[in-house]
Amino acid sequence: MATYGLIEYATASPEIREVYDDIMATRKTDYINNFWKALAAHPATLRRTWESVKEVMAAGALDPLTKELIYLAVSATNQCGYCLASHTAGALAKGATPEMVGEVLAVVGMANETNALAGGFQVEIDERFKTQG
Amino acid sequence: MATYGLIEYATASPEIREVYDDIMATRKTDYINNFWKALAAHPATLRRTWESVKEVMAAGALDPLTKELIYLAVSATNQCGYCLASHTAGALAKGATPEMVGEVLAVVGMANETNALAGGFQVEIDERFKTQG
Amino acid sequence: MATYGLIEYATASPEIREVYDDIMATRKTDYINNFWKALAAHPATLRRTWESVKEVMAAGALDPLTKELIYLAVSATNQCGYCLASHTAGALAKGATPEMVGEVLAVVGMANETNALAGGFQVEIDERFKTQG
Amino acid sequence: MATYGLIEYATASPEIREVYDDIMATRKTDYINNFWKALAAHPATLRRTWESVKEVMAAGALDPLTKELIYLAVSATNQCGYCLASHTAGALAKGATPEMVGEVLAVVGMANETNALAGGFQVEIDERFKTQG
Amino acid sequence: MATYGLIEYATASPEIREVYDDIMATRKTDYINNFWKALAAHPATLRRTWESVKEVMAAGALDPLTKELIYLAVSATNQCGYCLASHTAGALAKGATPEMVGEVLAVVGMANETNALAGGFQVEIDERFKTQG
Amino acid sequence: MATYGLIEYATASPEIREVYDDIMATRKTDYINNFWKALAAHPATLRRTWESVKEVMAAGALDPLTKELIYLAVSATNQCGYCLASHTAGALAKGATPEMVGEVLAVVGMANETNALAGGFQVEIDERFKTQG
């Protein structure tokens, strides 16, 4: 169970309700994920985290689905069970096909493998990779 | 320095040269990254890893640039210095703009933050996220 | 289930009981966490780990609650479910308030985010940070 | 070198200078860490990250030094070289003694050890740890 | 539940059955782990991953049990619950004794501890460790 | 540079010298790794860590080389540069051949890949893996 339980809308303070309202309006849903209900135990963290997620995940140079797939990639690397469940749902809701999810996870698996190999063989960085951008 | 040094083309065995040739042909370059030159100390790992990377990173349901950005996301999460240098170079070579790289890293940062928060607050998985696909 | 099950006091060897007794005496409790009962499958690891934990977590330059909060921070970063459950309980037992736990997790989330950003942007260490202490 | 280099105050846009000014005013210093100068390649990430760090690291239920020590604990767990250098400097600047830093790292080491042991022995969570807060 | 469910032999495509058949023949069993049944949602990843695992885990300079113990060490470090369950079973099936598993996990715990300490104390690499092989 | 520098034998306190003497006697060498010289800034951590490493790495159900290879596997997974350098040296000193190191790293790479895949596909644990030992 979440450390301080889940705070439902009905019993939430006005400060928390304001965030919940913005989540529902932004995402066009009447559902609040357990993640937010658990963070509500510390309202400042709830508000700040939501505002950051809202800004970061909005369409920009990358579309929202690509951002969701990147979220999935990080969550798989970190073995975060909750995050894998919620961001897999998020990716599917945004139109990810089994083929796309399969390819994301194939890349994630390969990246974790070669990350360990690069470290393990103590490979030094190529001169040409040292100046970029 | 790489554990067993870097094996250059000039001194490589035919088995290793065959992989190097395929890397250069596939990538349309005459440059072999230090990563492959270090793995060449164990030819079976060099060959298997290259064949897997070649297959996984080819265009499919996701385009090669998106795959490179996912590689970058995993490498940043794992703090793999070599991988960050080589896959940042890879992303830039495939046309990533500063705005795109900035957004990828913003998502990666946010995902690492909320992964830690979801774990830290011990959030239980929403029922609706338990059946997917 | 734990790999080798949980070894209860009633059926434990004298070597294991001695550790269990010290845990209960040091912590002023009659409860032994599952962690120790699982480690008891390898008595040398049980004894060594307990002695180290006992020494490290004792009051010193830092008070026991601060140490428990640091334990929580590491456990959230590592996504260790068992450790999060037991050290959250430990922190609450030592007097951590919701506000304190919330602030710890906010710092942990932020640190995981900026760790990924510092790696991702390949930031070089400032000269002034290279000589310290 | 940072992916897009370091943006110095003299050549920064007004949007970036505003953040730099706030960093210097808040921290009562005329020095801007490389971290911020590298993030400035993506001004939205620079601004959002600084605002979050400023809010999270301010004195609250925990004092700033304790927060800095938690930052250090996470950075050591993640093997983030840049973060270790900058937050060790931050902790020392806020008055951490060698004894305090030694105890933080001792706890961090122990937590990483027992995290791996709890996972490795597949320890199930004690019933009493499942309801908290 | 696995993202796309588990694909059983009875309903699998010929492409998937071919992999399942090879797994059962290679391992001399009629049981297919959930891992493979879940990967079957993306047949290319199923095939490639199995072929790599088959090659890497075969007897070579290291015997299969030692390889399984190394798999266990990585899985404990990564807090991968599924992997810990399946590779603990694998190690026991290959003859690992409680004493061996206990020693593996003791080394894994210690390595995770000293990894964090080496990073935390910012230890520079000894000159004599820079040239090896 | 190490946070508090490296404490050399000539200037070490009797408490530190006692540990250094035991390291040199146990390992039959007159060389002290930087790791120990850096930990000496906190003598209690130096002593406790050395005693644990000494006990854990001694021959038992597993031989010292196998233990060293497991140390290498964890260090590669954690991207610990110092640890990779020192434990690669340790493995080579204990007789590891390039073929053995190559196979260890191949297993480590594969384990990191399948760990991410098992998490990413949200694979549930097989019933038969839930009771072991």
Side-chain angles (χ1 to χ4, degrees), chain E residues 23-123:
Chain E
I23 291 173
M24 293 189 288
T26 303
R27 296 188 166 174
K28 303 187 201 317
T29 175
D30 62 354
Y31 186 74
I32 303 287
N33 292 2
N34 287 353
F35 177 73
W36 304 113
K37 292 179 183 171
L39 255 62
H42 197 241
T45 298
L46 171 69
R47 179 194 45 69
R48 183 179 46 75
T49 306
W50 164 246
E51 284 175 4
S52 289
V53 165
K54 182 182 174 181
E55 177 181 323
V56 167
M57 298 304 282
L62 300 177
D63 62 279
L65 174 54
T66 298
K67 291 184 172 185
E68 198 71 38
L69 296 176
I70 290 169
Y71 229 108
L72 194 57
V74 173
S75 302
T77 300
N78 283 334
Q79 297 285 343
C80 178
Y82 182 84
C83 315
L84 282 160
S86 65
H87 289 286
T88 297
L92 298 177
K94 285 177 179 145
T97 63
E99 194 59 29
M100 291 170 76
V101 171
E103 290 191 15
V104 168
L105 295 177
V107 175
V108 169
M110 190 55 48
N112 276 284
E113 178 170 17
T114 59
N115 279 197
L117 288 171
F121 276 99
Q122 305 185 79
V123 188

Side-chain angles (χ1 to χ4, degrees), chain B residues 11-72:
Chain B
T11 55
S13 70
E15 182 186 10
I16 293 170
R17 281 191 183 185
E18 194 181 343
V19 178
Y20 285 3
D21 286 335
D22 193 39
I23 291 172
M24 292 189 288
T26 303
R27 296 190 164 172
K28 302 186 202 319
T29 176
D30 62 352
Y31 186 74
I32 303 287
N33 293 1
N34 287 353
F35 177 73
W36 305 113
K37 292 180 182 168
L39 256 62
H42 197 241
T45 298
L46 171 68
R47 181 194 45 69
R48 184 179 46 76
T49 305
W50 163 246
E51 285 175 3
S52 289
V53 165
K54 183 182 175 182
E55 177 182 324
V56 167
M57 297 305 280
L62 300 177
D63 61 279
L65 175 54
T66 298
K67 291 184 172 184
E68 198 72 38
L69 296 177
I70 291 169
Y71 228 109
L72 194 56

Side-chain angles (χ1 to χ4, degrees), chain E residues 2 31 61 71 82 103 114 124 126, chain F residues 2 31 61 71 82 103 114 126:
Chain E
Y31 186 74
Y71 229 108
Y82 182 84
E103 290 191 15
T114 59
E124 59 258 45
D126 305 57
Chain F
Y31 187 73
Y71 228 109
Y82 182 84
E103 290 191 14
T114 59
D126 305 58

Side-chain angles (χ1 to χ4, degrees), chain D residues 79 84-85 105 109 113 115 119 122, chain E residues 79 84-85 109 113 115 119 122:
Chain D
Q79 297 286 342
L84 282 160
L105 295 177
E113 177 169 19
N115 280 197
Q122 305 186 79
Chain E
Q79 297 285 343
L84 282 160
E113 178 170 17
N115 279 197
Q122 305 185 79

Side-chain angles (χ1 to χ4, degrees), chain A residues 1-4 6 29-36 38-39 41-42 45 48-49 52-53 56-63 66-71 73-90 92 97 99-100 103-104 106-108 110-130 132-133, chain B residues 1-4 6 29-36 38-39 41-42 45 48-49 52-53 56-63 66-71 73-90 92 97 99-100 103-104 106-108 110-130 132-133:
Chain A
M1 217 191 75
T3 305
Y4 294 107
L6 302 177
T29 177
D30 62 353
Y31 186 74
I32 302 287
N33 293 3
N34 287 353
F35 177 72
W36 305 113
L39 256 61
H42 197 243
T45 297
R48 184 179 46 76
T49 306
S52 289
V53 165
V56 167
M57 298 304 281
L62 300 177
D63 61 279
T66 298
K67 290 184 173 184
E68 198 71 39
L69 296 177
I70 291 169
Y71 228 108
V74 173
S75 301
T77 301
N78 283 336
Q79 298 285 343
C80 177
Y82 182 84
C83 315
L84 282 161
S86 66
H87 289 287
T88 296
L92 298 177
T97 62
E99 193 60 29
M100 291 169 76
E103 290 191 15
V104 168
V107 175
V108 169
M110 190 55 47
N112 276 285
E113 177 169 18
T114 59
N115 279 196
L117 288 171
F121 276 100
Q122 305 186 78
V123 189
E124 58 258 44
I125 298 179
D126 304 58
E127 281 307 316
R128 64 170 60 186
F129 296 158
K130 290 185 180 166
Q132 307 179 333
Chain B
M1 215 190 78
T3 306
Y4 293 105
L6 302 176
T29 176
D30 62 352
Y31 186 74
I32 303 287
N33 293 1
N34 287 353
F35 177 73
W36 305 113
L39 256 62
H42 197 241
T45 298
R48 184 179 46 76
T49 305
S52 289
V53 165
V56 167
M57 297 305 280
L62 300 177
D63 61 279
T66 298
K67 291 184 172 184
E68 198 72 38
L69 296 177
I70 291 169
Y71 228 109
V74 172
S75 302
T77 300
N78 283 335
Q79 298 286 343
C80 177
Y82 182 84
C83 315
L84 282 160
S86 66
H87 289 286
T88 296
L92 298 177
T97 63
E99 194 59 28
M100 291 170 76
E103 291 191 14
V104 168
V107 174
V108 169
M110 190 57 45
N112 276 286
E113 177 170 18
T114 59
N115 280 196
L117 288 171
F121 277 99
Q122 305 186 78
V123 188
E124 59 258 44
I125 298 179
D126 304 58
E127 282 307 316
R128 66 170 58 187
F129 296 157
K130 289 185 179 164
Q132 307 179 331

